[in-house]
Amino acid sequence: MKKLLTLAALMWIAISGLAAQTPGGTEILPGIWKFTFGTPDSITPVSIHDAPPRQEAIAALGSDGACPVIPQAEFGRRGVLLTLPLKNDELLYGLGLQLQSFQQRGKKKMLRVNADPRVDTGDSHAPVPFYVSSAGYGVLIDNARYMTFYLGSKRPEGAASDAVKVEIPRSEGVDVYVFAGPTMKEAVARYNLFAGGGTLVPRWGLGFWYRGETDFTQEQILALAEDFRANRLPCDVIGLEPHWQTASYSCSYVWRGTFPDPAAMIGTLREQGIRTNLWMHAYVHPSAPIHDALKPYSGDYRVWNGLVPDLTLPEAREIFKGWHAQATTGIGVSGFKLDECDNSDFTGNWCFPEIASFPSGADGEQMHSLFGLAIQQTIDELYRERGVRGYHLVRSSGAMAAPLPCVLYSDLYDSQVFINAVAQSGFCGLLWTPEVRDANGEEDFLRRFQAVMCSPLAMVNAWYLQMPPWKQMNREKSKRHIVDPGSPEMTDACRKWLEFRMTLIPYLHAAFVKYHETGIPPFRALVMDFPDETAAVKDIAGQYMMGDELMVAPLTATSKGTKTIYFPAGTWYDFFTGERIEGGQALTLSFPLDRMPLYVKEGAILPLAHATLSTEDPDSRILDFRVYGDDPRPTAVYEDDGGYPAQLKENQIHWDAKRARIRFQSKQYTSGKTIRIPSGQPGR
Amino acid sequence: MKKLLTLAALMWIAISGLAAQTPGGTEILPGIWKFTFGTPDSITPVSIHDAPPRQEAIAALGSDGACPVIPQAEFGRRGVLLTLPLKNDELLYGLGLQLQSFQQRGKKKMLRVNADPRVDTGDSHAPVPFYVSSAGYGVLIDNARYMTFYLGSKRPEGAASDAVKVEIPRSEGVDVYVFAGPTMKEAVARYNLFAGGGTLVPRWGLGFWYRGETDFTQEQILALAEDFRANRLPCDVIGLEPHWQTASYSCSYVWRGTFPDPAAMIGTLREQGIRTNLWMHAYVHPSAPIHDALKPYSGDYRVWNGLVPDLTLPEAREIFKGWHAQATTGIGVSGFKLDECDNSDFTGNWCFPEIASFPSGADGEQMHSLFGLAIQQTIDELYRERGVRGYHLVRSSGAMAAPLPCVLYSDLYDSQVFINAVAQSGFCGLLWTPEVRDANGEEDFLRRFQAVMCSPLAMVNAWYLQMPPWKQMNREKSKRHIVDPGSPEMTDACRKWLEFRMTLIPYLHAAFVKYHETGIPPFRALVMDFPDETAAVKDIAGQYMMGDELMVAPLTATSKGTKTIYFPAGTWYDFFTGERIEGGQALTLSFPLDRMPLYVKEGAILPLAHATLSTEDPDSRILDFRVYGDDPRPTAVYEDDGGYPAQLKENQIHWDAKRARIRFQSKQYTSGKTIRIPSGQPGR
């Protein structure tokens, strides 16, 4: 009987004339097909999403009208079973943050939000029911259930065909979206544009972030900022951990007595070019002023005795935002760290159960899949309504997240896994920071520090340290305040890497503008940029493109300074030494602690800023340029008012070969020195 | 509409008069109630179980006719939701092998079979939908779905009541069984008796087991046995790892050319008192002689290109047994290691998917819950049909497993976790061996060795070592054949512990007879034996009762020879030194490498065998006795023919206080020396 439903659904589509170009599906935008099977759930990632697709940018990608893969559905006691055929040589990527794996074909993944996904089963902070194929298409299954993806597994002996199977429990139907390529990069771009385009980080978001000890008082936070400035250490954001509030598990969102005048503190920090970020989560303590108002809009289970507001409802969002517009953003808070939204799976007390129910009609399972998205949307609205853009941290995300200005992080702490996640997040409209939280000695610290400098959000999270790690290395996790004095040399080494980050900001900002306008992720795996070399790069997770011109391969302490790096075809230059390397080969190279593997593509013009203490310093807009090769591509940097919607001014940068000069038409930016690196000299 | 079903079910029970003593439930045996909600699944642990309940032994436990907990059910899109009320002070134990936790109240557990359960989410080699409460009752949910247990979590703010909630997906009904106490021990005993009583291990099963290197040939296996005997090392079983077969992933069950005459090899080993155990799993290779015959009785997915036979079907079991009766058991194989039946969850290729379907009507999810049980039942039948009892290893199990003669093990290798599992397995009719597979140096090896000597199956699994670990310590996991020579002292130390095990066999065997006849597990947590001291022992997982008289607290290398041990009320004696310790207190004690924490309850008579090289040696039936205290309890040892059904002869042992002698009426056993230890002298 259930099979009849499929037929009925297909017939309905046929009768309604929607299936114009593809049996059972309709091309809703150029190169984007929608297939509806049965009766889809009413609460899904697409249904709660509020950003419109970027129609013009999608149209610019074109379409040949042929849907690259045709899903089919069966219905039964186990719910909906989708089948999407696979060709023999297809490789699959995506499904969100899969910390233990990279290429997904042959895997089985159940997409369940989980705060501590230690095993490669699909559990994830940010599971996303979107995957891309090396054959050049992407697939989004728009559903908030814990779906199981069987990513290719042959059935009977000698079976000639293979397929992705997706099991959707507790559903009677589903919408499936297919995104054309021709390559993975365009398929991902189309998915991101369908979601509304990539987020555009304000320039300050690309500076250095530091999170203070959880019990720091107003006085200590101000002293911390003074210390940064006294040591000439760049810093754009200081984060306050849980104890700025009177209650934090669950949250009151009310300042503690240890912060007698938070508005004054925020103002003083801002005068030093430092913005304030606040830790919080969405579980609302009984003492929170919004507790009673939120009660009718909350689920039927509590977490840490706090309400779980149903933030998919506008009413709940309005109450939540209303308070913050007074207590936090209203006094100048620039962003949040949205913690604990990722389903701590171990007890009934650290998360709401799947059997919970919410006023929107969602059950606990669906809400877990949507909870991270809903809190991000709420906070994003809060800033949009103020006319400014924020940049936040969040511990859970999901489908259609590209336009949300939030970066994922986690407690888990394997260095290489954290690096791999930078590239992997790019398949699904996510951003990830391998935040530096802990380190096993100086080498480990510096290698982690280098990695985070080449990520979407450069942060040290020192919530358990009285002093910054360059003054105090933490070696024993179980004790919070072990002091193992750092050295002036460590401070100098860290300053060097912070300055390195500051110089990259114009380049990184331009990569985010591209993300915003074209959907191409600013951080992405090599396999996206070099589809002709798929065989060589298909499993390379720890090496990634940062923008269009830089290739990064961060080291970990266990690599002891040596790493085998694959150089795709073409010519590359070592960012630090200028050494020229011919691509199409893998090389094992060594790096002293003051260098890391960072390579520039021939033909790049790199705009590098003066390294100021914060992006607020006007000198941060003084640029140097590096030119790589004889015939460089034009590039651009952008002026950005940080507002919402963003007011951007594009400044094109050209190489004038005849006069050996940069052409740069901006009144705002000043060209510093211009250095051309045709063959191997150091840049600066 | 679904709610009506519940009512209908309840009404049906009411009309049919079954709900005599308890609303909605019926007392099917004294102290055992059955509640039926809706329409239960047809394939469940109870439905595939074939041992009848031990009615007389259950009757002997009596009943006051009051069901200790009344389950209720709701029905909805998420399946069946059971609610079982909890009192404030109840603690919960069980749910099978929960390697990361012990007391379960407040936890959330999804019972999913998983080969590598690294996180405390309910994933387990052997999840069992049975739990016991410190209030003195047990509950079995008879279902093969991945059920989620919310083991107490308060709902709204200030809620006065709490409950266990059990979510059963994809089911329209369920049978729930409640087992009365009055204490946890009787509730567990009742559950085990309902399943048919505990397994009765043949004496040889309690000797030492050793698994040879996976590529060992017939010649090397024989040389290994010679080496054991030349070094006077006890050994009752040698295990062959995968490569005795022509194909092992999947399995052919056909001897390789490296075993030119397996029957002769098995015979030669047996002459040395050594039995042969074979590694295998149930995935059937295309080259297996039974492959084609099994095809119609197999699932629609393959694992390692092997068939997955539906061993819940008698037809499939007959074919499987038919081959083994020729090729393995028919030539004298004494048992199996049933590997890989525990759902390697990582890929589509290492296990069948949940969406698989089987001829019995089970889907993949149900089959995962039943697969370990079904292969155990098949192998058990194989031996029963030969009229002998086997003793086997298995990597997955489930509900109603007490009568199955199989011991669980795993690849995971945290020493303390493995020790804890010995006690935990006792809550649910399971047995567990913390097999010694790897060690980080001599101390680690010896502490692991001591622990496994105090477990249901004393085994070293050296599948990757050319020589036994006392000759060759393995220090690097990634390489298989690192030789770090052991020492003659190591061999001597190991011999001492092997002899220790051999002396315990009459005592351990009697504990298994008790398991068989009364359902009381031979290895169990302190909280089962000392309910009056629940507050003190509720979280003690690493210390357990071995039989009625011995309390074990194995050390790990990380404890560096020191451990805090809780002594329940009463008087205890150190097994090794005879030192007398007053109970009702915790003591921190130190142990050199040649001792371990093992304590005898005052009033015990311990029958200790002469330490022979195998249980086949008639001298193994020469007994020494140790008497602890002035007024010892009578005890018993059993003669056992190893047959099925077992022919047992009970030999009662009494203390004749007047003549200070043991009264022991057996012709088979000879009393050796009799030593009375009233106050602190060493025993022997």
Side-chain angles (χ1 to χ4, degrees):
Chain A
M1 198 197 92
K2 291 282 186 168
K3 288 215 175 168
L4 289 177
L5 263 180
T6 337
L7 285 174
L10 291 172
M11 281 173 67
W12 177 83
I13 289 165
I15 291 161
S16 65
L18 292 175
Q21 306 197 25
T22 310
T26 179
E27 190 170 0
I28 55 170
L29 286 165
I32 304 180
W33 287 263
K34 180 179 181 182
F35 296 78
T36 297
F37 299 102
T39 307
D41 292 353
S42 58
I43 295 174
T44 69
V46 171
S47 83
I48 70 156
H49 190 72
D50 65 353
R54 299 286 289 268
Q55 304 212 20
E56 280 179 37
I58 292 169
L61 287 167
S63 168
D64 64 6
C67 184
V69 66
I70 310 293
Q72 292 189 302
E74 299 163 67
F75 296 77
R77 161 166 282 194
R78 300 190 59 85
V80 183
L81 180 65
L82 295 172
T83 301
L84 297 116
L86 284 173
K87 295 188 195 77
N88 279 342
D89 55 354
E90 278 183 69
L91 301 172
L92 303 174
Y93 299 89
L95 297 180
L97 220 55
Q98 297 294 329
L99 289 171
Q100 315 291 333
S101 56
F102 187 65
Q103 197 285 114
Q104 304 293 333
R105 182 156 181 177
K107 299 263 175 187
K108 169 186 168 186
K109 295 283 167 90
M110 186 172 90
L111 298 194
R112 180 171 65 167
V113 179
N114 183 331
D116 195 6
R118 283 183 243 167
V119 189
D120 191 24
T121 55
D123 278 15
S124 166
H125 305 275
V128 179
F130 173 76
Y131 65 87
V132 277
S133 162
S134 60
Y137 64 86
V139 176
L140 170 68
I141 319 288
D142 180 34
N143 189 286
R145 298 285 172 195
Y146 296 166
M147 292 183 270
T148 300
F149 284 70
Y150 296 94
L151 295 145
S153 69
K154 292 189 171 52
R155 277 174 91 169
E157 197 185 4
S161 67
D162 197 6
V164 171
K165 299 255 179 194
V166 185
E167 187 183 65
I168 311 171
R170 292 173 277 275
S171 285
E172 287 169 5
V174 67
D175 289 325
V176 179
Y177 297 85
V178 176
F179 301 86
T183 75
M184 288 211 287
K185 196 173 179 178
E186 290 83 15
V188 167
R190 245 184 255 264
Y191 164 69
N192 288 337
L193 290 168
F194 179 63
T199 190
L200 174 53
V201 57
R203 286 173 72 247
W204 59 263
L206 296 169
F208 178 58
W209 295 46
Y210 184 91
R211 306 200 74 83
E213 207 270 348
T214 190
D215 286 317
F216 271 6
T217 62
Q218 176 169 333
E219 203 176 345
Q220 285 170 302
I221 291 289
L222 289 170
L224 179 70
E226 294 287 350
D227 187 67
F228 268 92
R229 293 306 177 234
N231 284 287
R232 291 174 295 107
L233 292 164
C235 181
D236 263 89
V237 180
I238 284 181
L240 275 52
E241 286 289 299
H243 294 170
W244 64 271
Q245 297 168 92
T246 52
S248 50
Y249 279 85
S250 45
C251 288
S252 67
Y253 318 108
V254 173
W255 292 88
R256 269 197 194 195
T258 49
F259 291 84
D261 190 347
M265 176 193 73
I266 292 164
T268 305
L269 291 174
R270 189 66 186 272
E271 283 162 20
Q272 295 166 291
I274 296 175
R275 286 163 189 266
T276 305
N277 174 291
L278 295 183
W279 180 100
M280 71 162 173
H281 55 64
Y283 304 123
V284 183
H285 192 263
S287 74
I290 51 175
H291 176 274
D292 293 349
L294 277 173
K295 212 163 178 178
Y297 305 107
S298 296
D300 59 348
Y301 277 80
R302 291 183 162 256
V303 177
W304 299 301
N305 200 31
L307 285 178
V308 185
D310 187 339
L311 294 173
T312 70
L313 299 174
E315 296 88 340
R317 288 203 298 273
E318 288 307 315
I319 296 165
F320 201 83
K321 288 184 295 179
W323 172 255
H324 283 284
Q326 288 175 51
T328 62
T329 60
I331 60 169
V333 168
S334 292
F336 294 92
K337 171 180 171 181
L338 305 168
D339 212 37
E340 306 290 4
C341 44
D342 51 355
N343 193 16
S344 296
D345 209 34
F346 317 116
T347 89
N349 300 321
W350 276 59
C351 63
F352 52 89
E354 280 75 11
I355 55 175
S357 57
F358 289 85
S360 62
D363 63 25
E365 174 187 20
Q366 293 170 308
M367 188 56 79
H368 277 305
S369 301
L370 301 174
F371 200 59
L373 290 171
I375 179 78
Q376 289 180 72
Q377 283 184 2
T378 306
I379 296 302
D380 189 33
E381 279 179 20
L382 183 60
Y383 280 88
R384 281 156 59 180
E385 288 164 7
R386 299 186 70 77
V388 296
R389 305 201 315 277
Y391 200 44
H392 316 278
L393 290 152
V394 69
R395 225 170 70 188
S396 182
S397 196
M400 308 283 285
L404 295 166
C406 300
V407 180
L408 289 155
Y409 66 97
S410 149
D411 292 289
L412 291 163
Y413 222 67
D414 179 281
S415 195
Q416 187 61 56
V417 164
F418 267 33
I419 291 168
N420 297 356
V422 175
Q424 193 178 49
S425 59
F427 291 119
C428 293
L430 305 175
L431 297 169
W432 167 263
T433 173
E435 59 161 53
V436 183
R437 184 188 284 243
D438 198 1
N440 195 8
E442 290 192 359
E443 179 175 0
D444 189 28
F445 180 80
L446 281 173
R447 293 305 188 194
R448 289 175 186 271
F449 204 63
Q450 291 163 10
V452 83
M453 293 303 142
C454 294
S455 85
L457 196 150
M459 181 168 74
V460 167
N461 179 2
W463 67 270
Y464 52 85
L465 289 178
Q466 291 292 316
M467 284 186 289
W470 38 89
K471 294 193 171 183
Q472 170 196 349
M473 293 295 299
N474 181 61
R475 289 221 167 93
E476 198 169 334
K477 276 193 178 179
S478 57
K479 294 188 186 152
R480 281 173 63 186
H481 299 140
I482 300 243
V483 176
D484 172 22
S487 61
E489 291 74 24
M490 264 299 277
T491 305
D492 292 343
C494 290
R495 184 186 305 108
K496 173 183 171 289
W497 287 106
L498 292 175
E499 290 176 347
F500 159 79
R501 172 76 178 190
M502 296 306 282
T503 64
L504 289 179
I505 289 178
Y507 171 80
L508 292 173
H509 181 261
F512 272 92
V513 171
K514 187 165 183 178
Y515 187 36
H516 186 59
E517 294 183 348
T518 72
I520 294 172
F523 293 80
R524 57 191 185 267
L526 296 189
V527 73
M528 253 201 251
D529 274 41
F530 303 98
D532 297 340
E533 294 178 79
T534 297
V537 301
K538 63 188 164 69
D539 296 319
I540 298 179
Q543 216 179 308
Y544 52 87
M545 294 304 295
M546 175 164 71
D548 291 343
E549 311 290 13
L550 292 174
M551 178 173 75
V552 201
L555 296 172
T556 66
T558 51
S559 67
K560 287 165 190 158
T562 297
K563 190 175 170 91
T564 300
I565 295 162
Y566 182 77
F567 293 87
T571 301
W572 299 85
Y573 297 87
D574 184 303
F575 179 87
F576 298 96
T577 67
E579 188 192 351
R580 181 184 164 122
I581 294 166
E582 283 311 315
Q585 60 175 335
L587 295 171
T588 301
L589 301 170
S590 289
F591 303 86
L593 258 183
D594 65 347
R595 276 176 27 216
M596 69 179 291
L598 176 62
Y599 299 94
V600 191
K601 230 182 185 171
E602 183 163 73
I605 300 173
L606 288 189
L608 301 175
H610 278 202
T612 54
L613 293 180
S614 107
T615 57
E616 299 273 292
D617 185 334
D619 284 357
S620 69
R621 289 175 286 154
I622 301 175
L623 301 184
D624 294 342
F625 295 99
R626 290 203 214 164
V627 179
Y628 292 84
D630 296 320
D631 187 22
R633 294 172 286 278
T635 189
V637 292
Y638 297 85
E639 295 160 57
D640 178 352
D641 68 346
Y644 180 86
Q647 299 298 321
L648 293 177
K649 187 183 167 210
E650 180 174 292
N651 298 285
Q652 283 281 340
I653 303 160
H654 295 271
W655 174 245
D656 182 340
K658 209 158 87 186
R659 303 170 69 188
R661 290 234 176 131
I662 286 283
R663 276 193 286 120
F664 177 54
Q665 298 143 335
S666 166
K667 291 166 198 162
Q668 298 298 111
Y669 291 89
T670 310
S671 170
K673 52 188 167 176
T674 301
I675 293 172
R676 183 177 165 220
I677 310 179
S679 56
Q681 300 99 324
R684 46 185 284 182
Chain B
M1 198 195 93
K2 292 280 185 166
K3 288 215 173 167
L4 287 179
L5 263 179
T6 337
L7 285 174
L10 291 171
M11 281 175 67
W12 178 83
I13 290 165
I15 291 161
S16 67
L18 292 175
Q21 306 198 25
T22 309
T26 179
E27 189 171 0
I28 54 170
L29 286 165
I32 304 179
W33 286 263
K34 181 178 180 181
F35 296 79
T36 297
F37 299 103
T39 307
D41 292 352
S42 57
I43 295 173
T44 69
V46 171
S47 83
I48 70 156
H49 190 72
D50 65 354
R54 299 285 289 268
Q55 303 210 24
E56 281 180 36
I58 293 169
L61 286 168
S63 169
D64 63 5
C67 184
V69 65
I70 309 293
Q72 292 189 302
E74 299 163 65
F75 296 76
R77 161 166 282 194
R78 300 190 60 83
V80 183
L81 181 64
L82 295 172
T83 300
L84 297 115
L86 283 173
K87 295 187 194 77
N88 280 342
D89 55 353
E90 278 183 69
L91 301 172
L92 302 174
Y93 299 89
L95 296 180
L97 219 56
Q98 296 295 329
L99 288 172
Q100 315 291 332
S101 55
F102 187 65
Q103 198 285 113
Q104 303 295 332
R105 182 155 181 179
K107 299 264 176 189
K108 169 186 166 185
K109 295 283 167 92
M110 186 174 89
L111 298 194
R112 180 172 65 167
V113 179
N114 183 332
D116 195 6
R118 284 184 241 164
V119 189
D120 191 25
T121 55
D123 278 16
S124 166
H125 305 275
V128 179
F130 173 77
Y131 66 87
V132 278
S133 162
S134 62
Y137 64 86
V139 176
L140 170 68
I141 319 288
D142 181 34
N143 189 286
R145 297 287 171 194
Y146 296 167
M147 291 183 270
T148 300
F149 284 70
Y150 296 95
L151 295 145
S153 70
K154 293 189 170 51
R155 275 174 93 169
E157 197 183 2
S161 67
D162 198 6
V164 172
K165 299 255 177 194
V166 186
E167 187 183 63
I168 312 172
R170 291 173 279 274
S171 285
E172 287 169 4
V174 67
D175 289 326
V176 179
Y177 296 86
V178 176
F179 301 86
T183 75
M184 289 210 286
K185 197 173 179 177
E186 289 84 13
V188 167
R190 245 183 252 264
Y191 165 69
N192 288 336
L193 290 168
F194 180 63
T199 191
L200 174 53
V201 58
R203 287 173 70 248
W204 59 263
L206 295 169
F208 178 59
W209 296 44
Y210 184 90
R211 305 200 75 82
E213 206 270 349
T214 189
D215 286 318
F216 271 5
T217 63
Q218 177 169 331
E219 205 177 343
Q220 285 171 301
I221 290 290
L222 289 170
L224 179 71
E226 293 288 351
D227 187 67
F228 269 93
R229 293 305 177 236
N231 284 287
R232 292 175 294 108
L233 292 165
C235 180
D236 264 89
V237 180
I238 284 181
L240 275 52
E241 285 289 299
H243 293 168
W244 64 271
Q245 298 168 93
T246 53
S248 50
Y249 278 85
S250 46
C251 288
S252 67
Y253 318 107
V254 172
W255 293 88
R256 269 198 194 191
T258 50
F259 291 83
D261 191 348
M265 176 193 74
I266 291 165
T268 305
L269 291 175
R270 189 66 186 272
E271 283 162 20
Q272 295 165 292
I274 297 174
R275 287 164 189 264
T276 305
N277 175 290
L278 295 183
W279 179 101
M280 72 162 173
H281 54 65
Y283 304 122
V284 183
H285 192 261
S287 74
I290 51 176
H291 176 274
D292 292 350
L294 278 173
K295 213 164 176 176
Y297 305 106
S298 296
D300 60 347
Y301 278 79
R302 290 182 161 255
V303 178
W304 299 302
N305 201 31
L307 286 177
V308 186
D310 187 339
L311 294 173
T312 69
L313 299 175
E315 296 88 339
R317 287 205 297 274
E318 288 307 316
I319 297 165
F320 201 84
K321 287 185 294 179
W323 172 256
H324 282 284
Q326 288 176 51
T328 63
T329 59
I331 60 169
V333 168
S334 292
F336 294 93
K337 171 180 171 180
L338 305 167
D339 212 36
E340 305 291 4
C341 45
D342 51 356
N343 194 14
S344 297
D345 209 33
F346 316 116
T347 89
N349 300 320
W350 276 59
C351 63
F352 52 87
E354 280 75 10
I355 54 174
S357 57
F358 289 84
S360 63
D363 63 25
E365 175 187 17
Q366 293 171 307
M367 187 55 79
H368 277 304
S369 300
L370 302 174
F371 200 60
L373 290 171
I375 179 78
Q376 288 180 73
Q377 283 185 1
T378 306
I379 295 302
D380 189 33
E381 279 179 21
L382 182 61
Y383 280 88
R384 281 155 59 179
E385 288 164 8
R386 300 184 70 78
V388 296
R389 305 201 315 278
Y391 200 44
H392 316 276
L393 291 152
V394 70
R395 225 170 69 190
S396 182
S397 196
M400 307 283 286
L404 295 166
C406 301
V407 180
L408 289 155
Y409 66 98
S410 147
D411 292 288
L412 290 164
Y413 221 68
D414 180 280
S415 196
Q416 187 62 54
V417 165
F418 267 33
I419 290 166
N420 297 355
V422 174
Q424 194 178 48
S425 59
F427 291 118
C428 293
L430 305 175
L431 298 169
W432 168 262
T433 173
E435 60 160 52
V436 184
R437 184 189 283 245
D438 199 0
N440 196 9
E442 290 190 359
E443 179 173 359
D444 189 27
F445 180 81
L446 281 173
R447 292 305 187 196
R448 288 175 187 272
F449 204 63
Q450 292 163 9
V452 83
M453 293 303 141
C454 294
S455 85
L457 196 151
M459 181 168 74
V460 167
N461 179 4
W463 67 271
Y464 52 85
L465 290 178
Q466 291 293 315
M467 286 187 290
W470 38 89
K471 295 192 171 184
Q472 169 196 350
M473 294 294 298
N474 181 61
R475 288 222 167 94
E476 197 168 334
K477 275 193 178 178
S478 57
K479 295 188 187 153
R480 282 173 60 184
H481 299 138
I482 301 245
V483 176
D484 173 22
S487 61
E489 291 73 24
M490 265 298 277
T491 306
D492 292 343
C494 289
R495 185 186 304 107
K496 172 183 174 285
W497 288 106
L498 292 174
E499 290 176 346
F500 159 78
R501 173 76 179 189
M502 295 308 282
T503 64
L504 289 180
I505 290 178
Y507 172 80
L508 291 174
H509 181 261
F512 271 93
V513 171
K514 185 163 185 180
Y515 187 35
H516 186 59
E517 293 181 350
T518 71
I520 293 172
F523 293 81
R524 56 191 186 266
L526 295 190
V527 74
M528 254 201 252
D529 274 40
F530 303 97
D532 296 341
E533 294 178 79
T534 297
V537 301
K538 63 188 165 69
D539 296 319
I540 298 180
Q543 217 180 308
Y544 52 87
M545 294 305 293
M546 175 164 73
D548 291 344
E549 310 290 14
L550 292 174
M551 179 172 74
V552 202
L555 295 172
T556 65
T558 50
S559 66
K560 288 166 189 157
T562 297
K563 190 174 169 94
T564 299
I565 295 163
Y566 182 76
F567 293 87
T571 300
W572 298 85
Y573 297 88
D574 184 304
F575 180 88
F576 298 96
T577 66
E579 187 192 351
R580 180 186 164 121
I581 295 165
E582 283 311 316
Q585 61 175 335
L587 295 171
T588 301
L589 302 170
S590 290
F591 303 85
L593 259 183
D594 65 347
R595 275 174 31 214
M596 69 178 292
L598 176 62
Y599 299 94
V600 191
K601 229 180 180 172
E602 183 163 74
I605 300 174
L606 286 190
L608 300 176
H610 277 202
T612 53
L613 293 180
S614 107
T615 56
E616 299 274 289
D617 184 334
D619 285 357
S620 70
R621 288 175 287 156
I622 302 175
L623 301 184
D624 293 343
F625 295 98
R626 290 204 213 162
V627 178
Y628 292 83
D630 297 319
D631 186 22
R633 296 172 284 278
T635 188
V637 292
Y638 298 84
E639 295 160 58
D640 178 354
D641 68 345
Y644 180 87
Q647 298 299 321
L648 292 177
K649 186 182 168 209
E650 181 175 291
N651 297 284
Q652 282 281 342
I653 304 160
H654 294 272
W655 174 245
D656 181 340
K658 207 156 90 184
R659 305 170 69 188
R661 289 231 178 133
I662 287 285
R663 277 193 287 120
F664 177 52
Q665 299 144 332
S666 164
K667 290 166 197 163
Q668 298 299 110
Y669 290 86
T670 311
S671 171
K673 49 189 169 175
T674 300
I675 294 173
R676 182 176 170 225
I677 310 180
S679 57
Q681 299 100 323
R684 45 186 286 183

